[in-house]
């Protein structure tokens, strides 16, 4: 007890004895106090260490507890590697102070060397300051013995009480436990982190980074000194990633998976654990580094089969605890999910790459002609639009090239030769354009040249002629040399996207090309805007022509053919009329050639014939069964070998006899064997043929001899010339020669002679004659005088709709009845 | 540094505050008031009391706490007795006051929060560089929980270089409700701190005068401020045995509810002790004002007026480092007052004698703070001081 306890002694000399005893008691008390104090400190610190917490919290707590139980002004966890000591965590520096270790006089290495040491400021030395506190006493306690580098506890005190050996031993014991506890806390935290963040492994879409992070987690969780990741593909094991402070698995990679000692376990989905792999005789150690004692391998499974192996190794036997291994297995589960994810992604990426290539190819195909490799229409249009929209000076030129008679070559030599020709043409055209110009194939035998910058029309013309020149030399197609020409249309456009666009220029160039073609093959026609516009209008109308029938814009009008003597209607001529939706009535002189150019005339002609036959049949039923119908036939229609047969079917379908229908052909018709055959066939079927506009073209008897013509129609110009100039008749086709009327000074003698000649020819050949364009009584009179008995013209009736013609017939009937009645009346 | 103090025993809170403040400012000798420290009995309407004081001191930063008595010079007031005001002015110090609430929930956060805020509050427009040294006066709700954790929070912010002095608020021994003051506010479950910027180092001193009277024992079961077992046995039983072995001292002198003759002393590294005053309940467990961790090695400590008085000279001498200090801030324990009995002013007289040139100003608390080395700094039955 304390010196104050107890009372005095009654015996002589007892005071001394009491003093001694008291002294001994005091010493014993102090010793006990020391022991208890140390025990208490130790217990206190161990209690802190044993309280589960995150590593940083644990460090903070232990530093606080050390400061408290050792009255240390500053406490730190440092890392020292023999050269420097670095503070990891500290207490006592305050928030605004960057923790720095003091330089201890006479013990500079104390805090940098990872070894147990204590220090007291030597007499006469100025205590170094840390955090504003003079440091007079220090101790450094490594967490792990013997390692050249590592973490350690540092206690700094402002008093000069040296740390005793006992205190250092106690601190050493605390440090060792702290280390274990920290490792445990770190592992626990790693597992928690795994639970929290393991799924984030799936963010890695590449295998290596994924495995690197996975091994980092594995190392954190297990405390392994080496970790390795091996992937398995088709039974082949490949070492992919290694981390750690020491070398991992050894050997040559890749290697058969079945050679691995861990493989049988992996196949069963089990972790392979060897507490001391070096002392084990059960396994092959060929791939285990000599330093490694404790080894764990967890398989990463996909659908129950191992796709990867994660290895962890440590130099201490039995280092990995069971919970640690279980955590590693959990990690392997996360890795498996992430690996599958990465593989799926990479497969997707591969397919996307393929898709990109395919897309590029499709894009190339979409913009290029597969045969010649030239740009196609779309790309040409894009470039044209870009050129028109650019800020460059100058104009944009465009040439439209259409090969003449390509179809004939193609038909004659076959498609392969045709393709060969197109490729050769493309190559030659390519030599005609400058760098920066674009040559495109629009399809078929059409080529386009875009000249992004030209000075004017003359440049375009020059290029056009250059193209013609390039094509002048014959092409070798197989054994045959072929001559090919082109019709070329050129235009220029100003750079004003608001005014002109690619589509406009293309249309203009197309029109110019048609103009060139119309002027004859192998020509260049270059249009300015005005000319182009006219041509375009024509082309536009031509386009509309194709659909006029479908849009019900076409009608058949009927002009009566009368007996010139009594004006009795003997028949009608069916005349086609086009009432355009925008332009109104379009002249047949304009649209009939269009219909012939486009081939639409075949369908239209058939329709006209059918309508006319149907109408005639109706009139036959209602009025007069002797009425005939004349229908104009285009030379194009006659190209159809089945034309005669089709005509027959149409006539018969209407319930008519073939003799009641006249097919009128023009004198300009080129006489070919096919044409002659067709007409003879028609004649044999009973259909009669009339020669329209007779006297205007060939006018030779030989022509008539070859054709089975039974009627001649005197052209209106001759009729008009019989007396004087007639009025215009917009409904009548002008002659190709442009002879409209006899004109001043022509007199009527010449035309009268011609008409007389025609009548004579007809008579001699046994043909009937119809005079066209009779407009005056005088003309009728002259014609009658000349012996012409039938005619048509405004004098009698204009071409009219069927209803009007019906009325006309009805009126004629009424007049006839009246006349008959009158006659009867007179007779009576 | 100039200072003025005033006291009042008026029953009306506002009047009392006003009277004490007027007296304090009148004795300030014309200096600009920089800090007002108030100790008051819980018998007052404390809000009214502070309002009365601030009618006089205006916006001057104010701090303080409820007490179990207080003193200024030789004016010593026991529990239930009035209010005392200290006004500090002039001088080279800078003061900043800040409070934080939530001691029961997170006392360490209270410490860090108030520490940061008080330092910021000390900054004045036009201040040149920060003064190189500092200390903190800390007042805490005396019944509010873990006092050490508040100190730990302060220590975390300031580090070892800033000593802390202060005390846990009392409530005239009622053990019901204690409060701290921050400007016009009366706060419970809170702590308030005064950052003192100083051109020279400030030192806090502490001593208790208790002596160990038993062999060391280990606390084998404790929970917060309640000790259930010592050396594996009932804590109260062991305590009584140890006390009985020492002498026949009364366990409850002067009607105190806590032990006035004995306490527990935590053995410190240097062989000294941190005193933990205890009070016993009929049910058995020993209660302390400050938690004692399980496995702490403690000794039964004994004290008598004589030994307690002896340490006063040392504490004062340690605080008066430079000799020119004009104010001695003292934090004395209600336990010491009870040990002294009716003669408790004798301690103050001794203090005044030891610091003849400084104005002694202090209060009786439920725990004294003196953090100088290490994190720890909560004491019981101890006298702690800071001289300015």
């Amino acid at each position: 007890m304390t010196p104050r306890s107890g009372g005095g002694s009654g015996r002589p000399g007892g005071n001394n004895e009491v003093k001694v005893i008291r002294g001994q008691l005091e010493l014993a008390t102090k010793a006990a106090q020391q022991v208890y104090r140390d025990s208490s400190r130790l217990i206190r610190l161990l209690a802190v260490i044993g309280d589960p917490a995150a590593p940083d919290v644990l460090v903070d707590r232990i530093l606080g507890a050390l400061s408290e139980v050792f009255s240390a002004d500053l406490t730190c966890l440092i890392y020292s590697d023999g050269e420097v000591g670095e503070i990891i965590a500290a207490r006592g520096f305050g928030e605004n102070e960057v923790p720095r270790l003091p330089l201890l006089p006479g013990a500079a290495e104390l805090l940098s060397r990872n070894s147990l040491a204590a220090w007291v400021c030597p007499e006469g030395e100025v205590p170094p300051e840390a955090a504003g506190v003079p440091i007079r006493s220090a101790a450094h306690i490594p967490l792990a013995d013997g390692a050249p580098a590592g973490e350690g506890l540092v206690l700094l005190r402002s008093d000069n009480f040296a740390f005793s050996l006992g205190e250092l031993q106690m601190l050493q014991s605390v440090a060792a436990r702290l280390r274990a506890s920290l490792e445990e806390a770190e592992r626990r935290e790693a597992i928690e982190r795994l639970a929290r963040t393991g799924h984030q492994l799936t963010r890695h879409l590449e295998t290596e980074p994924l495995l690197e992070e996975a091994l980092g987690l594995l190392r954190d969780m297990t405390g392994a000194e080496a970790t390795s990741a091996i992937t398995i593909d088709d039974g082949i094991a490949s070492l992919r990633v290694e981390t750690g402070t020491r070398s991992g698995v050894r050997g040559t990679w890749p290697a058969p998976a079945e050679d691995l000692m861990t493989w049988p376990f992996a196949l069963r989905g089990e972790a392979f654990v060897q507490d001391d792999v070096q002392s084990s005789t059960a396994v092959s150690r060929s791939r285990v580094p000599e330093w490694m004692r404790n080894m764990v391998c967890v398989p990463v499974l996909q659908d129950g089969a191992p796709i990867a192996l994660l290895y962890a190794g440590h130099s201490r036997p039995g280092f990995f605890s069971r919970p640690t291994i279980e955590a590693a297995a959990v990690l392997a589960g996360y890795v498996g999910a992430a690996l599958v994810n990465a593989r799926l992604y990479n497969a997707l990426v591969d397919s996307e790459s393929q898709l990109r290539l395919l897309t590029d190819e499709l894009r190339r195909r979409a913009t290029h002609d597969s045969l010649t490799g030239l740009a196609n229409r779309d790309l040409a249009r894009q470039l044209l639009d870009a050129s028109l929209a650019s800020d460059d000076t100058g104009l944009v030129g465009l040439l439209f090239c259409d090969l003449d008679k390509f179809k004939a070559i193609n038909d004659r030599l076959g498609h392969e030769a045709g393709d060969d020709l197109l490729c050769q043409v493309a190559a030659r055209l390519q030599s005609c354009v400058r760098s920066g110009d674009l040559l495109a194939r629009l399809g078929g035998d059409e080529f386009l040249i875009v000249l992004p910058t030209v000075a004017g029309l003359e440049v375009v013309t020059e290029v056009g002629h250059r193209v013609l020149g390039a094509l002048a030399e014959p092409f070798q197609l197989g054994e045959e040399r072929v001559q090919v020409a082109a019709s070329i249309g050129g235009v220029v456009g100003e750079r004003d996207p608001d005014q002109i666009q690619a589509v406009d220029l293309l249309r203009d160039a197309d029109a110019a090309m048609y103009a060139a073609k119309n002027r004859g093959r192998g020509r260049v026609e270059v249009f300015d805007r005005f000319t182009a516009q006219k041509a375009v209008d024509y082309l536009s109308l031509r386009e509309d022509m194709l659909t006029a029938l479908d849009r019900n814009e076409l009608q058949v009008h009927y002009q009566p053919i009368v007996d010139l003597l009594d004006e009795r209607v003997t028949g009608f001529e069916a005349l086609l009329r086009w009432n355009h939706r925008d332009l109104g009535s379009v002249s047949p002189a304009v649209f009939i050639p269009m219909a012939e150019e486009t081939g639409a005339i075949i369908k239209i002609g058939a329709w006209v014939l059918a309508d006319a036959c149907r109408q005639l049949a109706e009139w036959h039923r209602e009025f007069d069964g002797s009425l005939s119908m004349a229908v104009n036939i285009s030379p194009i229609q006659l190209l159809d070998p089945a034309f005669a047969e089709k005509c027959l079917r149409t006539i018969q379908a209407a319930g008519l006899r073939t003799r009641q229908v006249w097919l009128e052909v023009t004198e300009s018709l080129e006489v070919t064997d096919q044409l002659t055959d067709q007409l003879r066939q028609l004649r044999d079927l009973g259909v009669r043929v009339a020669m329209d506009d007779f006297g205007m073209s060939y006018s030779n008897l030989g022509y008539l001899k070859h054709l089975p013509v039974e009627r001649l129609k005197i052209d209106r110009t001759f009729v008009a010339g019989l007396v004087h100039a007639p009025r215009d008749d917009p409904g009548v086709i002008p002659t190709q020669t442009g002879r409209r009327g006899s004109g001043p000074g022509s007199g009527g003698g010449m035309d009268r002679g011609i008409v007389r000649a025609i009548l004579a020819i007809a008579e001699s050949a046994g043909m009937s004659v119809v005079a066209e364009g009779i407009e005056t009584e005088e003309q009728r009179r002259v014609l009658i005088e000349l012996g012409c008995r039938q005619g048509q013209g405004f004098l009698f009736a204009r071409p009219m709709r069927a209803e009007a013609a019906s009325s006309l017939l009805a009126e004629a009937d009424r007049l006839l009845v009246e006349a008959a009645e009158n006659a009867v009346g007179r007779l009576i | 540094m100039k200072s003025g103090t005033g006291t009042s025993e008026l029953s009306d809170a506002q009047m009392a505050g006003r009277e004490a403040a007027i007296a304090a400012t009148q004795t300030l000798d014309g200096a600009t008031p920089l800090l007002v420290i108030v100790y008051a009995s819980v018998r007052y309407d404390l809000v009214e009391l502070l309002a009365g004081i601030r009618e006089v001191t205006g916006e001057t930063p104010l701090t303080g706490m409820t007490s179990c008595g207080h003193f200024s010079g030789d004016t010593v007031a026991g529990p239930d007795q009035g209010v005392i005001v200290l006004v500090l002015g002039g001088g080279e110090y800078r003061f900043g006051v800040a409070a934080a609430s939530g001691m029961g929930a997170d006392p360490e956060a209270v410490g860090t929060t108030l520490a940061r805020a008080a330092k910021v509050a000390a900054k004045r427009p036009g201040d040149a560089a920060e003064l190189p040294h500092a200390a903190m006066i800390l007042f805490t709700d005396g019944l509010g929980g873990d006092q050490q954790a508040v100190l730990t929070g302060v220590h975390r912010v300031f580090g070892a270089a800033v000593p802390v002095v202060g005390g846990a608020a009392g409530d005239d021994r009622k053990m019901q409700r204690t409060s701290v003051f921050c400007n016009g506010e009366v706060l419970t479950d809170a702590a308030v701190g005064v950052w003192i910027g100083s051109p020279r180092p400030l030192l806090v001193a502490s001593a208790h005068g208790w002596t160990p009277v038993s062999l060391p024992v280990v606390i084998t079961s404790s929970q917060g401020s309640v000790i259930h077992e010592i050396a594996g046995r009932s804590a109260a039983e062991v305590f009584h045995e140890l006390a009985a072995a020492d002498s026949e001292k009364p366990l409850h002198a002067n009607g105190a509810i806590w032990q006035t003759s004995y306490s527990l002393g935590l053995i410190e590294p240097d062989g000294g002790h941190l005193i933990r005053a205890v009070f016993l309940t009929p049910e058995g467990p020993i209660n302390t004002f400050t938690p004692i961790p399980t496995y702490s090695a403690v000794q039964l400590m004994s004290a008598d007026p004589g030994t307690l008085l002896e340490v006063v000279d040392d504490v004062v001498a340690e605080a008066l480092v430079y000799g020119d200090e004009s104010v001695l801030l003292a934090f004395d324990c209600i336990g010491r007052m009870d040990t002294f009995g009716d003669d408790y002013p004798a301690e103050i007289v001794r203090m005044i004698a030891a610091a003849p040139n400084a104005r002694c100003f202090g209060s009786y608390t439920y725990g004294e703070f003196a953090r100088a080395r290490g994190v720890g700094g909560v004491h019981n039955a101890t006298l702690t001081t800071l001289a300015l």
Side-chain angles (χ1 to χ4, degrees), chain A residues 1-2 4-5 29 32-33 36-37 40-41 43-44 47 60 64 67-74 91-96 131-133 157-159 161, chain B residues 116 119 152 155-161 211-218 245 249 267-271 273 293 295-297 299 302 372-376:
Chain A
M1 288 297 183
T2 67
R4 293 188 294 109
S5 61
T29 303
Q33 195 182 43
Y36 270 79
R37 185 191 68 196
S40 172
R41 282 169 165 173
I43 291 166
R44 177 76 202 292
D60 186 62
S67 171
E68 206 174 326
V69 301
F70 283 96
S71 290
D73 296 85
L74 302 168
R91 288 288 284 264
F93 285 85
E95 284 181 341
N96 299 319
V133 176
R157 294 202 293 217
S158 58
D159 60 37
F161 287 110
Chain B
R116 290 172 189 145
K119 189 175 180 183
T152 301
H155 180 259
R156 195 179 286 285
V157 175
F158 295 146
T211 53
V213 292
S214 76
L215 284 170
V217 289
V218 172
K249 287 180 183 172
I267 303 169
E268 290 211 278
D270 60 0
H273 295 83
Y295 304 120
S296 294
Q299 285 179 283
S302 171
R373 289 185 296 121
V375 175

Side-chain angles (χ1 to χ4, degrees), chain A residues 164-418:
Chain A
S164 68
L165 186 59
E167 284 178 325
L168 288 175
Q169 285 172 339
M170 187 212 309
L171 283 167
Q172 216 170 358
S173 169
V174 167
R177 284 167 175 77
L178 175 64
R179 177 182 169 228
S181 189
L182 273 176
E183 287 173 350
E184 184 58 35
E186 283 162 4
R187 267 171 234 147
R188 191 167 52 239
E189 192 180 58
I191 293 169
E192 285 171 6
R193 191 164 67 238
L194 176 62
R196 230 175 19 248
T197 64
H199 62 279
Q200 291 178 2
L201 285 172
T202 54
R203 79 180 189 281
H204 290 292
L205 301 174
E206 299 293 336
T207 305
E208 264 74 13
L210 190 166
L211 292 174
E212 274 175 18
E213 182 165 336
L215 291 188
L217 281 170
L218 182 64
R219 213 172 55 245
D220 288 349
M221 286 186 326
T222 61
E225 292 167 308
T227 53
S228 311
I230 286 165
T231 55
I232 312 290
D233 287 296
D234 296 329
I236 301 299
S238 303
L239 178 63
R240 298 297 288 268
V241 181
E242 278 192 294
T243 67
T245 54
R246 311 187 76 158
S247 62
V249 291
R250 299 189 310 174
T252 306
W253 305 94
E258 61 188 13
D259 289 357
L260 305 178
M261 63 180 173
T262 56
W263 188 241
F265 294 84
L267 283 175
R268 295 196 298 270
E270 296 173 1
F272 169 90
V273 183
Q274 275 292 317
D275 281 347
D276 190 351
V277 71
Q278 300 295 346
S279 62
S280 172
T281 55
V283 296
S284 160
R285 293 192 297 275
S286 60
R287 294 185 181 277
V288 181
E290 289 177 359
W291 64 265
M292 191 183 290
R293 306 294 290 273
N294 193 184
M295 179 174 159
V296 171
C297 170
V298 289
V300 176
L301 304 175
Q302 181 187 354
D303 299 329
I307 57 170
L309 304 171
L310 303 181
Y311 285 83
H314 201 277
S315 56
R316 204 172 75 201
F319 176 81
F320 300 117
S321 65
R322 177 54 51 186
T324 302
I325 296 163
E326 287 169 0
V330 173
L331 172 66
Y334 283 113
V335 175
L339 269 178
V340 169
N341 189 56
R343 287 184 178 185
L344 285 175
Y345 170 80
N346 287 319
L348 186 64
V349 167
D350 288 345
S351 65
E352 281 185 351
S353 299
Q354 293 290 332
L355 189 63
R356 202 172 299 119
L357 286 174
L358 190 61
T359 305
D360 290 346
E361 175 61 17
L362 287 174
R363 189 177 295 122
R364 198 191 66 75
R365 288 187 192 181
T367 55
H368 287 78
D369 171 42
S370 59
L371 176 65
T372 61
L374 298 178
N376 69 4
R377 183 186 290 271
D378 287 343
L379 188 57
R381 182 175 295 183
Q382 287 171 25
L383 182 85
L384 202 50
D385 272 330
S387 298
L388 290 168
S390 80
D391 297 330
D392 294 346
T393 56
L395 303 164
V396 179
L398 192 64
L399 286 157
F400 205 115
C401 309
D402 186 87
L403 300 186
D404 297 332
K405 297 184 177 172
F406 172 74
K407 186 173 180 300
I409 296 169
N410 210 37
D411 290 347
R412 188 163 62 83
L413 300 177
H415 289 295
E416 284 188 11

Side-chain angles (χ1 to χ4, degrees), chain A residues 449-477:
Chain A
I449 297 171
V450 180
L451 309 169
T453 305
V454 293
L457 281 173
E458 55 282 0
V459 178
V460 178
T461 308
E462 182 191 327
V463 175
H465 285 297
R466 206 186 303 157
V467 169
L468 286 182
L471 300 177
E473 194 70 20
F475 291 85
Q476 188 72 40
L477 296 176

Side-chain angles (χ1 to χ4, degrees), chain B residues 135 165 273 368:
Chain B
V165 73
H273 295 83
E368 303 73 51

